[in-house]
């Protein structure tokens, strides 16, 4: 079979000849959009999602829910300047819950949220639901969800792999109850069970037994969104036992929700201000959020920038200097590729810790970052749980992405300061950030 031309094409990463000065409208949050789609589909009444992200991951989620019988009507506001734009600006999705049904076939692509959040939904369907996806999706851990669902009463055929492809034989309901899981490889195991738990006959009590728990802010996001639609959730933060979450069974309300900008996807644009000593405004940055990307304000400030959060958004300004950092990214692992790219351009070494779970993401991100930065002349070494980065003078070359959207944006960050960087398969950014090349060149005034 001939390779997909989009996967082999090389994109010349623009080199910044001067300080960036731009306003960048970042599309909606993938994490919020996909959680909202699940909750709205399980609600007892219709709901609205406004300014949803339209990207590969979210369209796969919407398509999967439609396959199981949920109505999702897309509308475009004629009064919005962003009407019709592929990132969802000016759009609204009306979610019409219905009796979940099979037989259905779900394509998860390589979306962790789809492959992990939807098997519990499928257990509530009336009929079998088959899950399949990209080759890389077969390698990503799913056993935490599969094993837990079996304990809670589901019937799943996976040939003992604990991974895709698999079939969930929905019985129209699920008993629920107490289950122990090890979510050390992905906090999505916990979120997956919590999102559908109000519809389980007994709700759920999830007990995490592992020694570590990555990306805790994403679990807080799940809990906040559950509570916003009427679910009763007890958590460690609300006085419950450590590493235990309880969801009471009950009806979920339909809501009218406007999706926040994706703060993790704002990372390359903030990095551009840091790398070029420029200034970038991200409109509508929320004053309060559970998105892990909000921590960029702290991390990039420590690396040499400054920020101001106002009603209209976040203004980030680079100082012209980039400093190394020693930081634990266990809660915000998705930010690692962009931080590594900036660290490779710093004036002192960096150590990024707490992210061993990134070896199981869209690609092995630690190995990929090490290889690609070093092939441009860098000095990056893997540690047991992260990376050590010693800045070196970099040169141009091909930066491979391994079908990983955050590898592509990391390469673009390096390209700002290093002439001749070519990004392989920049189109993979469509997974969560539609039209990234156009946003990037627009920021630079190219």
């Amino acid at each position: 079979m001939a390779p997909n031309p989009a996967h082999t094409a090389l994109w010349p990463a623009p080199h910044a000849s001067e300080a960036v000065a731009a306003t960048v409208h970042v599309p909606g949050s993938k994490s919020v959009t996909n959680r909202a789609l699940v909750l709205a589909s399980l609600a007892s009444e219709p709901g609205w999602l406004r300014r949803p992200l339209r990207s590969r991951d979210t369209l796969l989620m919407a398509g999967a829910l439609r396959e199981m019988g949920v109505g999702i009507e897309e509308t475009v506001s004629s009064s919005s300047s962003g009407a019709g734009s592929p990132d969802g600006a000016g759009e609204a999705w009306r979610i019409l819950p219905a009796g979940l049904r099979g037989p259905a076939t779900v394509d998860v692509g390589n979306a962790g949220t789809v492959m992990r959040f939807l098997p519990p939904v499928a257990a509530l369907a009336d009929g079998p639901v088959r899950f399949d996806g990209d080759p890389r999706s077969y390698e990503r851990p799913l056993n935490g969800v599969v094993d837990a669902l079996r304990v809670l009463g589901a019937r799943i055929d996976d040939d003992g792999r604990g991974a895709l492809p698999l079939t969930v034989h929905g019985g129209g309901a699920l008993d629920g109850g107490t289950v122990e899981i090890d979510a050390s490889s992905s906090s999505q195991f916990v979120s997956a069970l919590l999102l559908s738990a109000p519809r389980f006959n007994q709700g759920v009590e999830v007990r995490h037994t592992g020694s570590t728990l990555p990306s805790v802010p994403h679990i807080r996001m799940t809990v906040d969104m559950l509570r916003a639609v009427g679910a009763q959730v007890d958590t460690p933060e609300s006085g419950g036992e450590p590493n235990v979450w309880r969801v009471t069974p009950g009806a979920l309300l339909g809501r009218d929700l406007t999706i926040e900008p994706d703060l993790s996807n704002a990372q390359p644009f903030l990095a551009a201000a840091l790398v070029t000593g420029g200034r970038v405004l991200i409109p509508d940055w929320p004053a309060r959020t559970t998105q892990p990307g909000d921590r960029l304000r702290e991390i990039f400030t420590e690396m040499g920038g400054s920020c101001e959060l106002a009603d209209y958004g976040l203004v980030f300004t680079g100082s012209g200097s980039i400093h190394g950092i020693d930081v634990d990214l266990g809660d915000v692992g998705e930010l690692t590729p962009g931080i590594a790219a900036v660290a490779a351009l710093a004036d002192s070494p960096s150590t990024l810790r707490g992210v061993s779970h990134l070896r199981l993401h869209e690609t092995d991100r630690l190995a990929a970052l090490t290889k690609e930065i070093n092939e441009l002349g860098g000095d990056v070494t893997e540690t047991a749980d992260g990376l050590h980065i010693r800045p070196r003078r970099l040169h141009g070359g091909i930066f491979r992405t391994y079908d990983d959207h955050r590898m592509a944006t990391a390469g673009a960050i390096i390209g700002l300061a290093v002439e001749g960087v070519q990004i392989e398969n920049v189109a993979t950014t469509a997974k969560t950030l539609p039209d990234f090349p156009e946003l990037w060149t627009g920021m630079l005034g190219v």
Side-chain angles (χ1 to χ4, degrees), residues 141-360:
L142 194 57
N143 56 299
V145 175
V146 171
D147 294 346
L149 286 175
R150 288 192 174 116
V151 170
L152 298 175
R155 185 162 69 91
I156 301 173
D157 290 338
D158 66 344
D159 293 332
R161 291 184 305 271
L164 294 175
L166 57 81
T167 299
V168 178
H169 294 275
L174 194 67
D175 289 340
T178 299
V179 65
E180 293 185 347
I181 64 170
D182 182 349
S184 299
S185 60
S186 177
S187 68
Q188 290 177 353
F189 294 170
V190 175
S191 288
L193 297 171
L194 300 184
L195 285 167
S196 292
R199 290 282 303 273
F200 299 169
N201 293 339
Q202 302 172 42
V204 80
E205 178 180 291
V206 178
R207 293 181 166 269
H208 166 57
T209 61
S211 58
T212 62
L213 183 60
S215 302
V216 171
H218 277 124
I219 298 178
R220 295 193 187 110
M221 176 187 292
T222 297
V223 170
D224 278 8
M225 293 183 68
L226 276 161
R227 287 172 173 162
V229 295
Q232 181 179 329
V233 189
D234 295 324
T235 70
E237 293 83 3
S238 61
E241 298 177 58
N243 293 324
V244 177
W245 296 264
R246 296 184 182 89
V247 180
T248 302
L252 298 179
L253 305 173
R255 291 297 197 200
D256 190 323
L257 176 65
T258 299
I259 306 297
E260 298 174 353
D262 193 311
L263 306 187
S264 294
N265 278 341
Q267 181 181 39
F269 306 103
L270 300 182
L274 189 56
V275 169
T276 68
R279 176 182 179 275
V280 168
L281 164 63
I282 308 293
D284 304 320
W285 193 287
R288 178 190 175 276
T289 181
T290 52
Q291 288 193 60
D294 192 46
R295 198 167 160 214
L296 286 167
R297 294 190 288 149
E298 168 199 337
I299 293 170
F300 277 172
T301 296
E302 187 173 343
M303 296 186 80
S306 62
C307 64
E308 177 188 358
L309 182 58
D311 290 343
Y312 51 82
L314 179 75
V315 177
F316 188 84
T317 306
S319 64
S321 298
I322 307 170
H323 309 312
I325 191 171
D326 186 330
V327 61
D328 188 326
L329 300 175
D331 279 353
V332 292
E334 65 197 44
L335 304 180
T336 302
I339 294 169
V342 173
L345 304 170
D347 58 14
S348 58
S350 294
T351 300
L352 313 184
R353 296 177 283 105
V355 287
S356 59
H357 60 285
L358 295 190
R359 295 186 170 98
L360 301 170

Side-chain angles (χ1 to χ4, degrees), residues 3-20:
N4 185 331
H7 290 191
T8 57
L10 298 178
W11 180 67
H15 180 258
S17 57
E18 58 187 21
V20 167

